[in-house]
Amino acid sequence: MRGQQQSRTPLLSGSIPGVDKPASRIIYGTLFLHNLPSEEDAFLLLDGVWAAGCNALDCAAIYGGGVCEQRVGAWLRSRSIPRDEIVLISKGGCEGQDKLWCATIADHTHMRSEISNSLRRLGVDYIDCYLLHRDDPSLPVGQIVRFMDEMCSSGMIKTWGVSNW
């Protein structure tokens, strides 16, 4: 499919508040993309997802230690997918299973770095929707909201939400 425009099946789409483009109602999760034997195998899978009409991909910094985001970013570049046609959702704010999914949202320096690293791996200027992967009940919600709003104002993310809270 490299260098060719793929025909795409239209899917029902919806909207994510704060994201200025439609998102397919089916969101493809990239959790196991790193388990495929090669980058080209991952590309072929993503080609099929894209051809089926799915334009929303769910990633996370901890998926495959960042490899899943790297493969999505490499696929976007290799297929010349227009940024305004793809909805990228990524997650962060927690450690991996080896550290029992410990929340890291209280450490704003770490969070900024984590978002920057996701942007670099994906090869994009912004993430459409950034989800905080784990709750930290010891942290006041207002502090989380202010920080995430700051991330939106910085242009690193368009909007944000939560996952597994």
Side-chain angles (χ1 to χ4, degrees), residues 20-75:
D20 61 357
K21 55 191 152 190
S24 55
R25 288 189 184 180
I26 294 175
I27 298 171
Y28 181 74
T30 64
L31 173 60
F32 297 112
L33 209 54
H34 68 289
N35 286 337
L36 294 173
S38 71
E39 188 171 81
E40 189 56 35
D41 288 326
F43 288 7
L44 291 172
L45 175 62
L46 292 169
D47 287 341
V49 169
W50 181 253
C54 180
N55 79 327
L57 302 179
D58 171 66
C59 305
I62 62 173
Y63 290 176
V67 172
C68 296
E69 287 180 331
Q70 288 172 339
R71 286 187 167 181
V72 167
W75 173 76

Side-chain angles (χ1 to χ4, degrees), residues 12-25:
L12 288 176
S13 63
S15 62
I16 299 172
V19 176
D20 61 357
K21 55 191 152 190
S24 55
R25 288 189 184 180

Side-chain angles (χ1 to χ4, degrees), residues 11-12 17 50-51 55 58 72 78 82 86-87 109-110 112 119 127-128 139 141 143 158:
L11 278 181
L12 288 176
W50 181 253
N55 79 327
D58 171 66
V72 167
S78 76
I86 192 94
V87 176
T109 301
H110 174 80
R112 277 186 197 87
L119 291 168
I127 294 169
D128 294 292
L139 199 59
V141 172
Q143 186 177 340
K158 295 292 182 183

